[in-house]
Amino acid sequence: MYPNKFDYYRPTSLAEAVEITARYGPDARPLAGGQSLIPLLKLRLVNPAVIVDLNAIPGLSYARQENDRLTIGALTCHSDVDESDLIRARYAAIGDAVAHIGDAQVRNLGTVGGSLAHADPSADWGAVLLAVGGELRCVGPGGERLIPAPEFFTDIYETARQPDEIVTEVRICAPKPRTDGAYLKLERRVGDFALVGVAVSVALDENAICVDAGIGLSGVGATCMKGISAERILRGSLLNEPAIAAAADSLDADIDPYTDARAPAEYKRAMAKVFFRRALELARQRATAQRL
Ligand code: FAD
């Protein structure tokens, strides 16, 4: 099917993009990699009057360390993140996630900002950002604001971003010593969205006690979700079997999977616990090896 008619803008600055987006409000849709938007347009599931193509705006594609934080530009494609030495060295959960998004074509075109703004509840970026405590920088006519990841995802394909705002950057605090993470996902076939995805970040002290934990899950509810109860149980624990078992059980309270074409809700519930245990163990091993 062909998309409905729309006007097409290709601004060359962020200010211009914001001005156009603000002028048309909900009738305008930013276009990044087009991996989600183009199919939606062709199926006429979304019918914007205006497309604002962000790809001619310079300076929105990067992954760099700035003082005590990692910043990733919204237009950075998944494969550039995957190939980043910085990410590989210090942000393992992100590296795990981007390496398994779709296929090479999707990773070459799909962007970090596009994935987060699209807010598919089975997407990988959302789970990871919830686990590592990231925030999103959004720029609109009123200036910029930072939205913590737990406040960003509000419902299925819905976010706290206003229609006249553009996501420009993702920010993540640099990990402290003995802090690392992992993301594991169960997919029916290679390249599929997550049936269940679990991201875990743990910070250990010199006695191997978990001083901080972040858990994000995809595929188990209307949004990517935080495993708040499990985080609470792991903090202050030695990550021994009783603590891990209690944390895995507590996921039941935090997730709300539904039955769909991928799997029954009960299967997703069970797999969330299995993948949580595996991701936690991998994160713990990595954090133990991490001395920087
Ligand atoms: P677009 O399609 O251009 O835009 C998506 C939405 O976000 C639109 O509503 C658009 O208006 C809005 N938007 C885009 N950029 C911005 C911005 N900077 N500010 C505000 N709004 C913006 N994802 C996974 O996580 N895991 C997978 O395994 C996976 N597999 C896939 C397999 C296939 C075959 C395909 C086609 C996609 C898959 N994806 C997967 C989705 C992929 O990650 C896309 O990159 C992502 O969903 C959308 O990113 P995009 O840059 O293409 O955004």
Side-chain angles (χ1 to χ4, degrees), residues 242-265:
I244 294 170
D249 283 346
S250 80
L251 288 177
D252 275 331
D254 292 330
I255 62 176
D256 189 17
Y258 44 80
T259 297
D260 61 10
R262 290 196 183 105

Side-chain angles (χ1 to χ4, degrees), residues 259-281:
T259 297
D260 61 10
R262 290 196 183 105
E266 279 319 300
Y267 181 68
K268 294 183 189 178
R269 229 174 237 291
M271 288 304 105
K273 293 176 189 177
V274 171
F275 278 71
F276 163 71
R277 280 174 170 272
R278 292 181 190 171
L280 176 60
E281 179 52 27

Side-chain angles (χ1 to χ4, degrees), residues 25-252:
D27 291 331
R29 281 272 184 156
L31 171 73
Q35 296 303 287
S36 299
L37 184 55
I38 301 287
L40 290 175
L41 291 172
K42 288 175 123 181
L43 292 166
R44 299 190 182 178
L45 291 171
V46 296
N47 298 289
V50 168
I51 292 287
V52 186
D53 186 344
L54 305 177
N55 286 284
I57 303 174
L60 288 180
S61 175
Y62 53 86
R64 58 185 174 234
Q65 190 85 27
E66 287 176 352
N67 301 321
D68 59 348
R69 67 178 179 223
L70 168 71
T71 58
I72 306 177
L75 278 189
T76 314
C77 65
H78 308 309
S79 54
D80 282 349
V81 178
D82 187 25
E83 285 160 19
S84 157
D85 291 337
L86 171 64
I87 303 285
R88 284 189 183 167
R90 221 41 205 99
Y91 299 89
I94 296 177
D96 291 342
V98 287
H100 294 100
I101 292 178
D103 51 30
Q105 289 88 341
V106 170
R107 292 195 291 276
N108 283 339
L109 284 169
T111 66
V112 177
S115 177
L116 290 164
H118 186 55
D120 189 310
S122 298
D124 303 309
W125 268 105
V128 172
L129 219 57
L130 287 169
V132 299
E135 51 189 11
L136 294 96
R137 178 174 178 260
C138 292
V139 175
E144 72 164 71
R145 65 185 177 126
L146 290 170
I147 308 178
E151 291 166 29
F152 188 73
F153 305 107
T154 53
D155 207 342
I156 184 161
Y157 303 117
E158 298 281 340
T159 72
R161 178 186 77 86
Q162 295 301 308
D164 57 4
E165 288 181 314
I166 291 171
V167 179
T168 59
E169 188 175 81
V170 168
R171 296 180 178 177
I172 295 157
C173 282
K176 298 192 175 75
R178 294 184 205 85
T179 301
D180 215 329
Y183 176 72
L184 294 177
K185 90 181 194 188
L186 173 62
E187 31 185 7
R188 286 200 307 179
R189 288 164 307 197
V190 173
D192 268 358
F193 275 89
L195 196 151
V196 164
V198 185
V200 175
S201 167
V202 288
L204 308 178
D205 71 8
E206 55 284 0
N207 300 313
I209 292 174
C210 174
V211 287
D212 201 6
I215 296 161
L217 300 106
S218 55
V220 289
T223 65
C224 288
M225 303 180 127
K226 218 167 150 52
I228 295 172
S229 311
E231 290 173 354
R232 219 175 280 135
I233 290 169
L234 294 183
R235 275 186 209 118
S237 88
L238 254 178
L239 299 185
N240 50 16
E241 179 51 28
I244 294 170
D249 283 346
S250 80
L251 288 177
D252 275 331

Side-chain angles (χ1 to χ4, degrees), residues 10-25:
R10 195 171 163 86
T12 52
S13 72
L14 182 59
E16 193 189 344
V18 168
E19 188 277 313
I20 298 165
T21 315
R23 198 186 327 151
Y24 292 98

